[in-house]
Amino acid sequence: MAGHTDNEITIAAPMELVWDMTNDIDNWPRLFSEYASVDVLDRDGDRVTFRLTMHPDADGKVWSWVSERVADPTTRTVRAHRVETGPFQYMNIVWEYAETADGTRMRWIQDFAMKPDAPVDDAWMTDNINRNSRTQMALIRDRIEQAAGERRTASVLAD
């Protein structure tokens, strides 16, 4: 069995701002509440290899892993996978962005499988990822919408 999640949110902000803020990996600890730090290991054009470290969990364990992301600004998609898989057999992620009448729709699709000796199974991780994705997406939406509002205010004041 494998896990699959598909979550999306609409952000009342222009595509460029949503794209720029969500693909600025160096600033992810300020965009996501779950990440304590990010260390970029390699950049090659639109490909970035980086280590993410989470804040300690309820048991005090700090989770960390290396991922690789390739952003395609033309199609407004990002493909990522874990290089260091940890408890996963594999973890593949696709981010899709689309302009809508209400702003920018951001969609995260995750396909994965847990290793047989992982502390949780695919069903547990699917529920966990769905719950966490909704939380993080709402937080990201709020932070980007705040940034969009500040830009609009600054633009009006400059005129």
Side-chain angles (χ1 to χ4, degrees), residues 5-19:
T5 65
D6 189 336
N7 293 280
E8 66 180 54
I9 196 163
T10 298
I11 303 169
M15 170 71 80
E16 252 346 278
L17 181 61
V18 175
W19 177 263

Side-chain angles (χ1 to χ4, degrees), residues 11-77:
I11 303 169
M15 170 71 80
E16 252 346 278
L17 181 61
V18 175
W19 177 263
D20 290 347
M21 286 184 71
T22 59
N23 286 292
D24 182 0
I25 294 170
D26 295 301
N27 283 310
W28 274 11
R30 288 180 284 286
L31 189 62
F32 291 80
S33 64
E34 62 188 340
Y35 300 140
S37 66
V38 62
D39 298 304
V40 173
L41 306 173
D42 186 51
R43 286 187 202 270
D44 183 13
D46 291 322
R47 185 186 59 74
V48 181
T49 305
F50 56 98
R51 174 173 296 285
L52 276 176
T53 302
M54 297 183 80
H55 294 288
D57 66 17
D59 297 325
K61 176 141 176 69
V62 175
W63 296 92
S64 179
W65 64 90
V66 173
S67 289
E68 181 180 271
R69 284 172 59 90
V70 179
D72 184 342
T74 303
T75 62
R76 297 297 191 191
T77 58

